[in-house]
Amino acid sequence: MNEIKLLVVTIILGFAGLSANAQTYEISDGGTVNTCIGTLYDSGGASGDYGNNETETITICSDNSAPVELTFTSFSTESGFDDLTIYDGPNTGNPVLGTYDGSDLQGQTITASGNCLTLTFSSDGSVTYPGFEAEISCAMVCQDYSIDIVSTSPGLSDPTDSLWIAVCQGEQVTFTAEGTYPNNNTDYLQSDANVTWEWVASSGNTTIELSGQGENEFSPTFTESGGYNISLVATDI
């Protein structure tokens, strides 16, 4: 007889889509921009330097409930004289995340704790540099969910709280899982059909796997004797 012990390992991941139309913005545009995709430049734009004696402020907010992010693909200012201050919120009264000059932000990502970042750039009266370029994005919006193996065929062996199934060598066991989606359709559709399920039945010598979208049922045939561990990972869209 084979003894099969069920151990469910649940990994929950969620990904929401981003806005579609990328645009470019300059810090000198000012005001508030609501977007999850685009590029922010200093006042010189994509190819020019920023100017002398500048004090420019702009606020970037996500266009959904996700935290906004800025990834600085380039950053070059006059060190000690021209700097960028970033505030964690919709105005300069919010906490300062940092003040940066030189190449401080090159390759760095700044993420808001909420859905807005405010940036203020200041330059002195001489010497200008290429400034900065930052890609605007939004952190992933994840909807909660949980999964469980809700039934097996044949059923659990006595005592059922031991989570063992005793079967003969060569028999097939069917495991059925279901998800619970308390936030379904808040931002996107969740269902057992569009979740990707990854099943593994493993013993010391044998591994049986099944993965795919909508594959919430797993029916391995156990041809080798021994004990098997059943694990399940679910990833939503």
Side-chain angles (χ1 to χ4, degrees):
M1 301 285 284
N2 292 330
E3 291 182 323
I4 303 167
K5 187 174 183 180
L6 311 184
L7 173 62
V8 181
V9 180
T10 306
I11 297 177
I12 300 175
L13 302 174
F15 301 89
L18 298 178
S19 303
N21 299 315
Q23 297 186 42
T24 60
Y25 308 92
E26 295 179 8
I27 195 168
S28 51
D29 294 339
T32 298
V33 174
N34 294 282
T35 187
C36 275
I37 188 168
T39 306
L40 176 66
Y41 295 98
D42 59 90
S43 62
S47 58
D49 292 357
Y50 57 81
N52 292 318
N53 299 311
E54 287 191 357
T55 301
E56 306 288 357
T57 299
I58 196 170
T59 297
I60 307 294
C61 297
S62 63
D63 57 8
N64 55 34
S65 59
V68 69
E69 295 182 332
L70 294 175
T71 298
F72 287 84
T73 54
S74 64
F75 192 87
S76 176
T77 73
E78 185 184 13
S79 183
F81 297 96
D82 304 335
D83 54 57
L84 179 71
T85 300
I86 302 179
Y87 302 85
D88 189 17
N91 56 61
T92 57
N94 292 110
V96 175
L97 293 176
T99 297
Y100 311 93
D101 60 12
S103 59
D104 285 347
L105 280 176
Q106 179 73 39
Q108 301 299 307
T109 297
I110 303 295
T111 304
S113 63
N115 65 335
C116 292
L117 291 170
T118 297
L119 299 84
T120 296
F121 181 74
S122 298
S123 62
D124 68 357
S126 64
V127 184
T128 61
Y129 278 68
F132 60 85
E133 176 182 335
E135 296 301 321
I136 304 167
S137 61
C138 294
M140 295 176 290
V141 178
C142 297
Q143 296 177 169
D144 290 337
Y145 68 102
S146 60
I147 62 169
D148 196 11
I149 295 177
V150 295
S151 66
T152 66
S153 180
L156 297 175
S157 302
D158 291 328
T160 56
D161 59 1
S162 68
L163 300 182
W164 286 87
I165 301 173
V167 296
C168 294
Q169 189 171 349
E171 278 194 62
Q172 185 179 74
V173 179
T174 297
F175 304 90
T176 302
E178 289 182 359
T180 300
Y181 311 101
N183 306 127
N184 184 34
N185 280 329
T186 301
D187 291 301
Y188 59 96
L189 174 67
Q190 292 170 300
S191 71
D192 290 345
N194 68 19
V195 163
T196 297
W197 305 85
E198 300 176 66
W199 297 86
V200 178
S202 59
S203 67
N205 301 314
T206 305
T207 299
I208 307 170
E209 298 178 309
L210 173 70
S211 65
Q213 193 171 70
E215 297 283 359
N216 64 312
E217 190 171 279
F218 181 43
S219 299
T221 299
F222 298 96
T223 58
E224 301 293 332
S225 62
Y228 288 77
N229 180 72
I230 309 300
S231 66
L232 173 60
V233 173
T235 308
D236 87 343
I237 58 170

